[in-house]
Amino acid sequence: MKEVYEFLKSSGVFYLATIDNDKPRVRPFGAINIYNDKIYLQTGKIKPVSKQIEKNNNVEICAFKDGKWIRVEAKLIRDESREAKVSMLEANPELKAMYSADDANTEVLYMENVKATISSFTDAPKVIEF
Ligand SMILES: Cc1cc2nc3c(=O)[nH]c(=O)nc-3n(C[C@H](O)[C@H](O)[C@H](O)COP(=O)(O)O)c2cc1C
């Protein structure tokens, strides 16, 4: 779990794909946190990405760093607890310019049923499941 978090965090930017009816949608994401032994992402409830996840929470993430790439397959579960939001904002303070733990928009979601694969052109793929 830590390895997946570290890869995504140190990538700086990772790309989150969702399902919009029968079409894929992908966009850059960067906010990430570990809270209660789970990997969390952050978004705004007003965004299409949030509405897509609400309808279908199967997502995939891709990132590339230092000759290796990661593909993370997961379900995202919304966590409405204030503590989870505060933890996200403390870990990613740049978010505080746009979000607060008490606004109606801030959304944090944790990954469940995760299957991550780290690949490169030289090494065998490494699969991490949690
Ligand atoms: C480098 C980078 C990192 C970003 N990180 C996030 C993020 O963690 N959460 C988020 O909601 N939006 C983030 N954004 C903005 C989203 O990519 C943008 O709002 C996007 O349009 C959301 O997808 P949607 O239009 O399908 O809702 C980031 C943008 C960039 C350029």
Side-chain angles (χ1 to χ4, degrees):
M1 197 267 279
K2 259 273 161 69
E3 188 172 354
V4 173
Y5 167 81
E6 294 293 350
F7 196 115
L8 295 175
K9 179 83 184 168
S10 61
S11 297
V13 186
F14 49 90
Y15 296 87
L16 172 69
T18 52
I19 299 163
D20 183 13
N21 294 319
D22 62 346
K23 293 210 168 101
R25 302 283 177 211
V26 65
R27 76 283 291 159
F29 259 46
I32 189 161
N33 186 33
I34 292 186
Y35 174 72
N36 268 352
D37 283 333
K38 296 188 178 80
I39 300 178
Y40 278 73
L41 304 184
Q42 184 277 341
T43 191
K45 289 177 187 168
I46 59 167
K47 293 191 182 189
V49 58
S50 171
K51 301 189 191 316
Q52 287 152 24
I53 294 165
E54 205 172 0
K55 268 196 176 175
N56 185 336
N57 69 349
N58 289 299
V59 300
E60 194 160 270
I61 293 168
C62 185
F64 174 77
K65 193 194 158 232
D66 296 339
K68 294 186 176 187
W69 59 96
I70 190 169
R71 177 184 246 178
V72 184
E73 190 184 315
K75 286 183 183 288
L76 289 183
I77 314 295
R78 181 187 278 183
D79 184 344
E80 288 288 8
S81 75
R82 187 172 191 280
E83 293 74 17
K85 294 176 188 178
V86 168
S87 176
M88 172 63 75
L89 294 171
E90 290 306 315
N92 301 270
E94 67 283 357
L95 293 175
K96 291 181 185 174
M98 288 173 288
Y99 297 97
S100 96
D102 299 307
D103 67 27
N105 186 36
T106 299
E107 176 174 33
V108 294
L109 310 110
Y110 63 84
M111 295 183 191
E112 201 178 75
N113 294 355
V114 180
K115 180 178 177 186
T117 308
I118 298 174
S119 305
S120 76
F121 287 120
T122 49
D123 301 331
K126 179 173 183 182
V127 177
I128 303 163
E129 293 184 83
F130 54 92

